[in-house]
Amino acid sequence: MGAIQNKLEGPVTDELTLVQAAKKGDDSAFEELVRRYDRNVFRIAQHITQNREDAEDVVQEAFLKAYSNLAKFQEQSKFYTWLVRIAVNEALMKLRRKKPERTVSLDEDIKTEDDSLPREIADWSPNPEQQYTQAELREILSKTIQGLPPGFRTVFVLRDVEGLSTEETAAALELSVPAVKSRLLRARLQLRERLGRFFQKRENGHAKSEHANSEHGNGGDGNGGDGEQ
Amino acid sequence: MKCSEFLHELTNYLDGVLDEPTKVELENHLSWCHNCYVVCDTTKKTIEIYRDSQLYELPENLRTRLRSAIMAKCQQYKKRGPESV
């Protein structure tokens, strides 16, 4: 009776195998890594830069940087987290070049007091997204997330769209875990409030506007004057 | 639990990382505080809508073009070093 056969390699092992092969000069292994993560990097880049051409550039630059620095990559973390970190930095650099008048930073201290209490508490329709065509919905979602400061939308995209863990997001952005959590809360609440304008329950064709009670009513939208960080 | 305390724990609650006593306390709050219930519910929907939105999908033809460009630059780098790309 032979030994129990090895389990099929999971995605994490696969990634490590590919990285090790790529380090030894196997370009097809690196190309497989590109294939695996190009969509994610593109999404993240476009969310940060808000521009498709810039996002295309970021995808190319991030993978090239990963390729040329592969020898330096310590295999203690996931390749994907490392790649995201490179891509986020490239994307932020693009943004800084475009908006030099505004400081684009991820580590700016953000108030975490109760100023993020929502002021708009109106409920949404049961299936709000079905009120709009796919194209309209994308437009709404895109415009809404673009209104967030880069530091907020980056955390939201990594955590909630790309599904990185809080720890991975912290590592990719070189932020502390509490900082990630605080930004994530603010980002989620701001998006919720902004989407509410489109998704609120409608009565007689008009969006229903309920005013918040006093406890919820003092907050503002949590932006607290941060503007674009 | 006050509304502000609920809000402080909202992200941990939605991420399913709350300890049991805090979770019970929070759900008790949600059972009577309609505003917090709505905030919790619509925040959850916000996350789900973005997660399912397929915003900024990379079209297949662009994907192929980008991958070719990346691999060509990598080859160049390999042959001629950092100055080449």
Side-chain angles (χ1 to χ4, degrees):
Chain A
M1 188 64 76
I4 299 167
Q5 286 199 331
N6 282 337
K7 281 192 289 181
L8 282 175
E9 287 182 333
V12 177
T13 321
D14 269 350
E15 183 191 88
L16 190 59
T17 311
L18 288 170
V19 169
Q20 286 169 344
K23 274 187 173 179
K24 286 179 191 150
D26 179 353
D27 286 345
S28 66
F30 187 77
E31 190 166 0
E32 183 52 35
L33 289 167
V34 175
R35 239 183 257 274
R36 191 166 292 189
Y37 299 125
D38 55 355
R39 295 187 190 95
N40 308 72
V41 172
F42 180 74
R43 259 197 308 267
I44 293 165
Q46 189 158 352
H47 270 295
I48 297 174
T49 61
Q50 303 176 352
N51 176 289
R52 181 162 153 167
E53 281 174 21
D54 286 344
E56 289 178 28
D57 287 349
V58 169
V59 171
Q60 296 192 51
E61 285 155 16
F63 277 109
L64 184 63
K65 209 161 231 181
Y67 183 86
S68 55
N69 288 286
L70 208 52
K72 291 182 208 154
F73 169 62
Q74 308 283 319
E75 288 159 23
Q76 290 139 348
S77 64
K78 274 162 77 177
F79 172 78
Y80 178 54
T81 313
W82 183 66
L83 177 67
V84 167
R85 187 158 153 184
I86 296 172
V88 167
N89 283 334
E90 292 290 325
L92 286 173
M93 270 199 296
K94 284 249 179 250
L95 204 57
R96 282 188 199 109
R97 261 178 243 140
K98 281 210 160 168
K99 297 181 173 175
E101 75 279 10
R102 291 169 173 174
T103 319
V104 179
S105 158
L106 283 181
D107 52 13
E108 194 169 298
D109 194 28
I110 295 171
K111 282 183 286 176
T112 53
E113 311 305 319
D114 289 347
D115 63 347
S116 55
L117 282 175
R119 67 181 161 197
E120 199 62 55
I121 318 287
D123 204 355
W124 293 3
S125 315
N127 295 299
E129 64 274 30
Q130 287 169 15
Q131 296 168 13
Y132 300 94
T133 64
Q134 281 256 306
E136 285 170 339
L137 184 65
R138 278 193 199 148
E139 176 79 10
I140 289 169
L141 295 178
S142 174
K143 283 266 177 334
T144 301
I145 199 166
Q146 282 176 19
L148 290 191
F152 284 15
R153 64 174 186 261
T154 305
V155 168
F156 180 81
V157 167
L158 296 192
R159 266 300 275 112
D160 285 341
V161 180
E162 298 302 326
L164 268 70
S165 71
T166 305
E167 289 72 20
E168 286 168 341
T169 305
L173 302 180
E174 297 177 284
L175 289 171
S176 69
V177 166
V180 168
K181 285 190 175 184
S182 143
R183 281 157 182 72
L184 184 62
L185 174 65
R186 303 280 296 270
R188 285 170 167 177
L189 289 175
Q190 285 190 30
L191 288 175
R192 182 206 74 86
E193 181 155 322
R194 288 163 195 222
L195 285 186
R197 293 172 204 154
F198 302 96
F199 294 160
Q200 273 176 36
K201 270 187 184 156
R202 283 166 195 275
E203 286 179 351
N204 303 323
H206 298 289
K208 185 179 171 187
S209 179
E210 286 178 12
H211 290 288
N213 69 16
S214 58
E215 185 173 3
H216 289 82
N218 303 322
D221 65 359
N223 205 0
D226 287 325
E228 294 270 327
Q229 294 172 59
Chain B
M1 182 178 275
K2 289 194 294 187
C3 296
S4 56
E5 291 166 329
F6 152 79
L7 206 62
H8 187 70
E9 297 295 348
L10 177 62
T11 272
N12 285 333
Y13 178 65
L14 291 174
D15 293 344
V17 295
L18 276 188
D19 59 78
E20 198 54 30
T22 315
K23 190 178 159 209
V24 169
E25 215 183 320
L26 190 141
E27 284 175 348
N28 179 42
H29 179 85
L30 286 183
S31 69
W32 60 263
C33 181
H34 180 69
N35 278 337
C36 283
Y37 176 82
V38 169
V39 168
C40 184
D41 186 51
T42 50
T43 304
K44 200 168 154 221
K45 279 183 188 159
T46 298
I47 297 166
E48 286 165 357
I49 286 172
Y50 271 100
R51 192 169 289 166
D52 301 340
S53 69
Q54 298 184 315
L55 208 58
Y56 309 143
E57 285 302 309
L58 187 53
E60 206 52 40
N61 55 348
L62 173 58
R63 209 183 154 207
T64 310
R65 188 164 64 73
L66 281 178
R67 194 170 60 243
S68 304
I70 291 164
M71 294 318 294
K73 282 186 183 171
C74 290
Q75 291 300 322
Q76 240 179 318
Y77 175 87
K78 203 178 198 175
K79 278 185 196 149
R80 299 185 214 143
E83 300 308 314
S84 64
V85 286

